[in-house]
Amino acid sequence: MKLLLQIFTWWNGQTIGTRFHTWRHGQRVGEDEFGNVYYQGGTDSEGRTRRWVIYNGPAEASAIPPGWHGWMHHRTDVSPADEKYAVREWQKPHRANPTGTPNAYRPKGSIAGAGKRPRVTGDYDAWTPRS
């Protein structure tokens, strides 16, 4: 089943292509508290080391902790696995992306919101045919 998911989906962990590329070129760098595994290997067009993550579960970019996020985007050359990374007081813990769930942000007047849309004032005239 896992092999079929890797062949036919891209949102469930790694694809078969990523698995092959990681096997050929990847050097495991570390793992975060969510079970995501980080790799590096080869160079990109700018000469930097390529870095990638294989998610533990659905591909959700917001599931990368702050320390690993900085390493992934070449803000630092030292991975959190190679140093004693301490979360700063202003860094918030991970919260899953709520888009498409009941916890999603719904502004005042939204169709999906619980409240009613405010009545239209005189600053808006609805279009009607032949007007």
Side-chain angles (χ1 to χ4, degrees):
M1 181 65 161
K2 191 172 185 176
L3 181 63
L4 288 175
L5 286 174
Q6 289 179 357
I7 293 171
F8 295 110
T9 65
W10 58 265
W11 56 88
N12 290 312
Q14 63 182 331
T15 63
I16 195 76
T18 304
R19 180 182 207 153
F20 183 71
H21 178 78
T22 302
W23 173 72
R24 293 271 326 254
H25 305 288
Q27 171 193 357
R28 185 183 168 125
V29 176
E31 185 173 335
D32 65 23
E33 62 266 24
F34 303 116
N36 301 324
V37 183
Y38 298 85
Y39 293 90
Q40 67 180 3
T43 55
D44 64 11
S45 60
E46 297 176 2
R48 299 177 302 185
T49 304
R50 289 186 186 271
R51 297 174 177 174
W52 66 95
V53 59
I54 296 178
Y55 296 99
N56 179 23
E60 176 58 59
S62 68
I64 296 177
W68 283 105
H69 182 271
W71 178 82
M72 288 284 295
H73 293 278
H74 297 276
R75 303 285 186 259
T76 178
D77 290 332
V78 182
S79 74
D82 295 336
E83 69 178 357
K84 180 64 180 150
Y85 179 80
V87 176
R88 300 199 168 66
E89 64 183 45
W90 49 266
Q91 291 175 323
K92 295 181 178 181
H94 174 263
R95 190 180 68 153
N97 184 347
T99 303
T101 70
N103 298 327
Y105 173 70
R106 291 177 175 82
K108 186 176 180 181
S110 168
I111 294 172
K116 288 194 165 212
R117 184 179 181 280
R119 283 194 54 79
V120 176
T121 60
D123 64 344
Y124 176 79
D125 293 323
W127 178 84
T128 56
R130 298 186 198 108
S131 63

